[in-house]
Amino acid sequence: MLKINSHPGSHRRLQEQLALVTTTAKERKYIHQWVSRQVITKSRARVKRQEDLDGRHFKARQYNSKKRLLNKLLKGNRIKAYVGANKATVTWPNSRTGSIARGQQEGFKESFTKRDLQKGQPDYSAPATDAQAKALIQKGYKRYVGRYKGGKKKGQARQRRVSKAWIKENMTLGQAGLVLRMMRENTQNPDQLPPSKSAWVVEVPERPFFGLSDKEAHDMGKELFDERLTKIKQAKG
């Protein structure tokens, strides 16, 4: 039995067509190997196009929406096919990678509380992170320069753009986080910031990238069936 993800009905139809074109154990193993490779190849092509099984574009991330999705899940030997005469399984040997792939395929929700986050309390005195620096630049963060940069006439001072390197060298993780919150809330007074959330729900939308679409399963079954008929005709001729 070939275990693959596909649309309802297409898996069954493919199995029926495979039953018609396979007779010996050697033939069944060859067919399973061929189909497994096709599943991997078509899934990789789908990720390259950033499309799901229905041909729809992947739902974007909430943040960093321009970054391509799922690029690393199907690279190299991360995904493998285990093939035999009676079944083939296409899967991820690494359980963590497999869990990530399943989460992306089916979507999931995960809840976090302040207590969960406090278990891994960050060092707020550490340098600002690359992600913080990038977010601050995207928000238009600038530093004041000139004679009045630290006085009452700050508004008269010149502003200068900063680089990610400057932010990471001159701001701590805590400072960068506070400034970023203030910019997002459009306030210059930290006391006006809304209370921090006590719980969060992270939702990852489903992005069914792995398996076969109805058309792919139908076309593959037809190709195998036609190939088998040709061999039978040649044997009789």
Side-chain angles (χ1 to χ4, degrees), residues 125-129 133 163-172 175:
S125 62
T129 66
S163 64
K164 289 199 298 183
W166 186 93
I167 292 174
K168 291 162 70 175
E169 289 175 5
N170 292 275
M171 298 180 73
T172 65
Q175 290 171 338

Side-chain angles (χ1 to χ4, degrees), residues 11-199:
H11 189 180
R12 176 176 51 78
R13 289 195 298 274
L14 181 57
Q15 294 288 357
E16 291 171 352
Q17 288 168 314
L18 290 177
L20 293 173
V21 300
T22 56
T23 54
T24 67
K26 185 177 180 180
E27 286 178 326
R28 291 196 301 273
K29 184 174 181 179
Y30 167 78
I31 295 299
H32 285 151
Q33 189 174 46
W34 182 80
V35 174
S36 297
R37 287 174 179 170
Q38 289 295 308
V39 169
I40 295 174
T41 298
K42 291 182 183 299
S43 297
R44 282 174 174 162
R46 200 173 289 118
V47 169
K48 188 174 182 179
R49 299 193 304 270
Q50 296 285 280
E51 292 178 352
D52 63 18
L53 286 165
D54 290 319
R56 296 173 300 199
H57 198 74
F58 287 154
K59 295 177 182 177
R61 293 185 181 90
Q62 186 175 359
Y63 302 106
N64 295 331
S65 59
K66 293 183 180 180
K67 189 175 180 180
R68 292 178 65 81
L69 294 153
L70 315 182
N71 269 352
K72 296 181 180 180
L73 284 178
L74 294 169
K75 281 190 174 181
N77 293 324
R78 292 195 174 201
I79 185 170
K80 288 187 177 181
Y82 299 92
V83 181
N86 297 316
K87 77 171 185 177
T89 303
V90 182
T91 187
W92 284 263
N94 183 286
S95 59
R96 176 171 172 76
T97 306
S99 297
I100 293 172
R102 183 172 183 176
Q104 292 290 335
Q105 180 85 359
E106 301 175 357
F108 67 91
K109 290 183 180 180
E110 191 168 3
S111 300
F112 295 93
T113 64
K114 269 191 174 181
R115 183 173 295 179
D116 294 328
L117 297 178
Q118 286 170 354
K119 292 177 183 178
Q121 189 75 15
D123 180 5
Y124 291 108
S125 62
T129 66
D130 191 77
Q132 285 179 318
K134 184 176 180 180
L136 284 168
I137 291 172
Q138 288 177 342
K139 278 290 183 182
Y141 177 75
K142 297 177 182 178
R143 67 186 180 98
Y144 287 104
V145 295
R147 182 179 175 186
Y148 300 106
K149 64 180 181 181
K152 294 182 180 179
K153 297 183 180 180
K154 189 186 242 184
Q156 298 176 10
R158 290 179 290 113
Q159 290 182 312
R160 179 178 296 172
R161 293 180 181 275
V162 295
S163 64
K164 289 199 298 183
W166 186 93
I167 292 174
K168 291 162 70 175
E169 289 175 5
N170 292 275
M171 298 180 73
T172 65
L173 187 145
Q175 290 171 338
L178 177 61
V179 171
L180 189 56
R181 280 192 67 200
M182 291 169 63
M183 293 184 75
R184 285 172 174 166
E185 295 295 335
N186 196 26
T187 179
Q188 295 183 355
N189 186 351
D191 296 332
Q192 294 178 353
L193 289 172
S196 299
K197 289 183 178 180
S198 58

Side-chain angles (χ1 to χ4, degrees), residues 203-214:
E203 182 174 0
V204 175
E206 62 177 26
R207 302 181 181 103
F209 67 98
F210 177 69
L212 296 174
S213 66
D214 280 339

